[in-house]
Every structure is written in structure tokens, then in C-alpha cells.
Amino acid sequence: MDSGKVVITFKEKEEKVKDLRPIDDVFFEVLANDVNFCQEMLQILLEDKDLVVTDVVVQSSERNLYGRSVRLDALCVLGNGKKCNVEVQRSDNDDHLRRVRFNAASIAVKDSQEGEKFEQIEDIIVVYISQFDIFKADRVLYHVDSTIRETGNRVDDGLYRVFVNTEVKDGTTVSEYMGCFLKKEVNNSKFPAFTKRMNALKHEERGLDAVCEVMEKYEQKAVTKANVEAIKFMVTTLNASKEQILQQYSEYEYREALNELSKK
């Protein structure tokens, strides 16, 4: 039976994903859905060769219990029980520090139990990967700590923030690793897990299928967003009725449009 889904060949899949890079949201989400890749990445970026990753949850995963409002490019559970949320950002069009604070707080609130003492709230590490130097201090790696202004002493509040970028080239291993995020193919013996994962996603059937599936989700999300905007225009400017709108758009898109309008 024809399901209506277009079937594409292996070569067509390779062609579809060939230009994607690790810094691209849609590709990183699939790339990071692998414990070995994430473990190697965090060992390098957190400068801890003994670090262990036991589990990873990505944005599109059915195991994502945090909702779509919290960006989880890769939420890693470490061997010591801490959680590390890895975020990837290409565009410099947001308040990045507040974005980090919001996502970290949302994870902490979701994971906390009613009546739990604050000392029991889990520690959270955020690794923020950007295609630009956020602080413009010509460093590839930044650690942002909470400190007491009067003494300069660091305060341990359980939130650890690390910002790393692909822009600065300083000859370090971290800089070399980040350079791989801008490449369409990675083949570096220093980063075997990265190399293996890239090859699997770019040149193996199962990996290509995984990338194409996430790409389709992103494409559908873009279509839905455009349709919601069109419905909002029809409601506010054309005074279109529900019946008229549903002739072109879905019930879900109609409800989303009304929900967004109600927040204004």
C-alpha cells in the first residue's frame, strides 16, 4: 500500500545531508544522540579526560520530558549524577546569558521534587557552543562563575557555565575540536568518536535515515509556523471565520494561531 511518503535512494540521501555541519541545529541534534560522541566532546570541552556520560536526551526524543520551550540540543547525564545541557547557537541574535539561565532553571525545576530541600537540587552544567565569540575577548573557551563582588570569591550555586566558540583559533585542542564543527566531513584521529559518528551519519544507511527524519521534522515545523502566521493574518486583518480557515489549514494550526493571538 502506498503510504504517500516519497522514497529516496541512498545517493539522494547522501546528497541531501552532504552540506550539513555539526554547528547546524538539525544535524547536531542527530550527531549528539550518541553517548560516545557526547562523552568525547565533554571530556575535551570540560577538560576532564575521566568524565563519563551515561545517557543523552535530545530535543526530538520521546524521552524529552522538559517540553519544547526548553532547548535541549543534548542533555547529558554524567557518571557522577550531574546533568550537562549542551546548546548550539549559530546566530548572534539573542541574549545568550539569559537563555542559558532560563534553560538551566527550567531543567532544575522540572527535576526537583515538591518539598525537596534546596541543597538537594541537582548541579547543572551548561556548555554553550556558538559560531561567534560571545564575549569578544579573543578566547575559544570561557568559564562564567558566580562571585562575591566585594571579595572576588567564587560562590558555588550548583550552576556551571562554559561558553566555547568556533571563531577563535588559538592552536589548542579545544580550538581544533571546535574547528570540526564547521566542517562537512570530519576525519581526525585525535577525535575518534567524532570521526566515527560523522561517517555513520553521512555515509551509512541507518545514519542517513536518522538525519533525514529529523530534517523532515524541522521542515514540517517551518511549514506549520508559516501556516500559523497566515491564520493570524486571516483572523486579525481579513476577519475570516473558523470555517473559512479550516478549508485551508488544520485544526491544530488554527488553535495554535488563536493561542498566540491571546497572548498579545
Side-chain angles (χ1 to χ4, degrees):
M1 181 180 292
D2 185 4
S3 64
K5 186 174 183 179
V6 177
V7 178
I8 62 176
T9 67
F10 181 86
K11 286 296 183 183
E12 288 172 330
K13 292 173 186 175
E14 280 194 313
E15 183 67 22
K16 187 173 182 178
V17 308
K18 72 174 185 178
D19 291 329
L20 292 176
R21 308 165 301 162
I23 196 68
D24 299 320
D25 284 344
V26 63
F27 190 72
F28 183 79
E29 184 169 321
V30 191
L31 181 69
N33 196 16
D34 180 82
V35 167
N36 292 329
F37 168 79
C38 287
Q39 180 167 290
E40 180 181 83
M41 173 178 64
L42 294 182
Q43 285 177 345
I44 293 168
L45 301 185
L46 297 180
E47 301 173 294
D48 181 359
K49 63 182 179 60
D50 297 320
L51 180 146
V52 173
V53 173
T54 61
D55 193 18
V56 182
V57 178
V58 297
Q59 186 75 14
S60 63
S61 171
E62 294 179 357
R63 297 188 296 129
N64 178 7
L65 304 178
Y66 299 90
R68 294 299 181 262
S69 62
V70 181
R71 185 68 206 176
L72 301 180
D73 288 324
L75 180 62
C76 303
V77 180
L78 308 185
N80 58 10
K82 293 182 180 180
K83 288 184 177 175
C84 179
N85 188 32
V86 182
E87 301 181 44
V88 173
Q89 180 71 9
R90 286 181 55 190
S91 303
D92 190 7
N93 59 358
D94 202 352
D95 188 323
H96 306 287
L97 288 171
R98 283 181 168 79
R99 171 177 167 169
V100 165
R101 188 181 72 182
F102 173 82
N103 286 340
S106 298
I107 293 169
V109 169
K110 181 68 177 178
D111 287 348
S112 63
Q113 303 296 320
E114 186 174 351
E116 186 175 52
K117 292 184 177 180
F118 288 113
E119 65 185 18
Q120 295 173 306
I121 293 177
E122 63 190 2
D123 290 350
I124 296 175
I125 304 166
V126 177
V127 173
Y128 199 84
I129 298 172
S130 62
Q131 199 171 331
F132 47 89
D133 182 0
I134 289 178
F135 301 108
K136 297 178 173 53
D138 200 30
R139 295 178 181 271
V140 69
L141 188 67
Y142 299 92
H143 297 82
V144 176
D145 299 324
S146 298
T147 60
I148 300 173
R149 183 182 304 175
E150 288 74 15
T151 66
N153 293 335
R154 177 183 168 187
V155 175
D156 184 2
D157 56 4
L159 176 59
Y160 307 93
R161 292 164 290 179
V162 177
F163 293 80
V164 60
N165 65 80
T166 63
E167 180 179 341
V168 177
K169 313 297 182 186
D170 62 4
T172 61
T173 297
V174 171
S175 177
E176 183 178 358
Y177 185 83
M178 292 312 303
C180 294
F181 271 67
L182 300 178
K183 297 180 178 179
K184 299 174 184 178
E185 299 282 350
V186 174
N187 184 16
N188 192 320
S189 59
K190 288 185 181 180
F191 317 127
F194 200 159
T195 298
K196 181 178 179 180
R197 184 66 173 159
M198 284 287 289
N199 184 67
L201 296 179
K202 291 274 190 167
H203 304 294
E204 296 179 11
E205 188 84 49
R206 186 175 178 181
L208 287 166
D209 286 343
V211 178
C212 289
E213 181 180 348
V214 173
M215 287 179 72
E216 289 172 6
K217 290 180 180 179
Y218 272 71
E219 289 163 0
Q220 183 55 52
K221 184 177 180 181
V223 170
T224 299
K225 183 177 180 180
N227 288 347
V228 167
E229 290 301 315
I231 293 171
K232 286 161 62 177
F233 176 80
M234 291 177 71
V235 171
T236 58
T237 305
L238 304 180
N239 295 317
S241 67
K242 178 179 180 180
E243 289 73 20
Q244 290 173 318
I245 292 171
L246 292 184
Q247 289 177 6
Q248 302 179 56
Y249 303 104
S250 70
E251 179 79 31
Y252 170 79
E253 291 166 341
Y254 177 73
R255 291 199 306 269
E256 285 293 300
L258 293 187
N259 182 53
E260 290 188 14
L261 289 172
S262 70
K263 295 178 180 179
K264 290 187 175 181

